[in-house]
Amino acid sequence: MILTKAQYDEIAQCLVSVPPTRQSLRKLKQRFPSQSQATLLSIFSQEYQKHIKRTHAKHHTSEAIESYYQRYLSGVGKNGAAPVLLELANEVDYAPSLMARIILERFLQEHEETPPSKSVINSMLRDPSQIPDGVLANQVYQCIVNDCCYGPLVDCIKHAIGHEHEVLLRDLLLEKNLSFLDEDQLRAKGYDKTPDFILQVPVVMLCPLAVEGHIIHWIESKASFGDECSHHAYLHDQFWSYWNRFGPGLVIYWYGFIQELDCNRERGILLKACFPTDIVTLCHSIA
């Protein structure tokens, strides 16, 4: 789904001060029925992450942490089964998984002889049954499963979706009988920054691809929506490096992108929201 900047801004505006819950996402889908669920979720997640980055510091002052912890203790003291942490996170407009981390760290500092390491905290968040307090374990679990933007569950889902789309792209390349090297093969050859796929014919032939009159040598798969913030970061950190090393290339944002961002075609970076169907293989000898 390709959106104009104005269409994207309209969606983003609806997300101001909206908690990162599935109920909020359902309301967003009702407001924009023509947009796919996957596209809205990607935009929803990216906009919320921007908000969290802007407000992160205020939630990590010593005063804020102590206030949250005392409110947690008071809440579970009255009713340990109630979603105290989840409701607290929503009230102060902070991601539930991140609120769970704050309270877990504060709890362990109080009950353990040595400060907890980051790896221990991460392990407990991935598996709350490791938390030595049953009530807190349940509270953390509620935060993890109800957070659709942050946390170990979301990280696993994003990783799986990213891998799924790389496999999809590989299958489409094979279906078109296009020879390629994948990221693992390129790294085995000593490349550090590599796109997902380099297009080539084995041994002595290099096979670029002509898409809408533009020749491409590599394809990068992004299982996300391409907004201004993420795309400019990718250009700086990845795409221009690929261009310098391998030549012109194609980026597929499977959940769409802002139309105005597709402005580097003449310089050698094309954007698409799906695998191109109008392709022509151009083979040149490299002897």
Side-chain angles (χ1 to χ4, degrees), residues 230-241 261 264 269:
S230 62
H231 182 64
H232 289 152
Y234 285 140
L235 280 171
H236 180 269
D237 297 335
Q238 298 179 1
F239 302 158
W240 288 125
S241 295
L261 296 178
N264 291 302
I269 296 179

Side-chain angles (χ1 to χ4, degrees), residues 192-203:
D192 48 0
K193 288 188 175 183
T194 65
D196 291 317
F197 298 97
I198 294 288
L199 303 172
Q200 70 165 38
V201 171
V203 187

Side-chain angles (χ1 to χ4, degrees), residues 119-190:
S119 62
V120 168
I121 295 293
N122 289 339
S123 179
M124 289 182 175
L125 290 173
R126 286 192 298 268
D127 179 11
S129 67
Q130 298 178 19
I131 298 173
D133 180 87
V135 172
L136 179 55
N138 182 55
Q139 294 287 327
V140 169
Y141 174 79
Q142 291 177 17
C143 287
I144 297 299
V145 299
N146 283 286
D147 194 329
C148 59
C149 296
Y150 281 94
L153 181 58
V154 171
D155 291 342
C156 287
I157 293 172
K158 286 182 177 179
H159 178 77
I161 291 175
H163 179 69
E164 176 186 356
H165 284 82
E166 288 179 17
V167 171
L168 171 62
L169 179 53
R170 175 190 294 272
D171 290 344
L172 290 168
L173 291 171
L174 292 172
E175 185 180 303
K176 294 290 185 179
N177 294 317
L178 296 171
S179 185
F180 56 83
L181 292 176
D182 62 25
E183 194 172 15
D184 291 335
Q185 292 170 314
L186 289 166
R187 286 181 177 171
K189 289 178 177 290

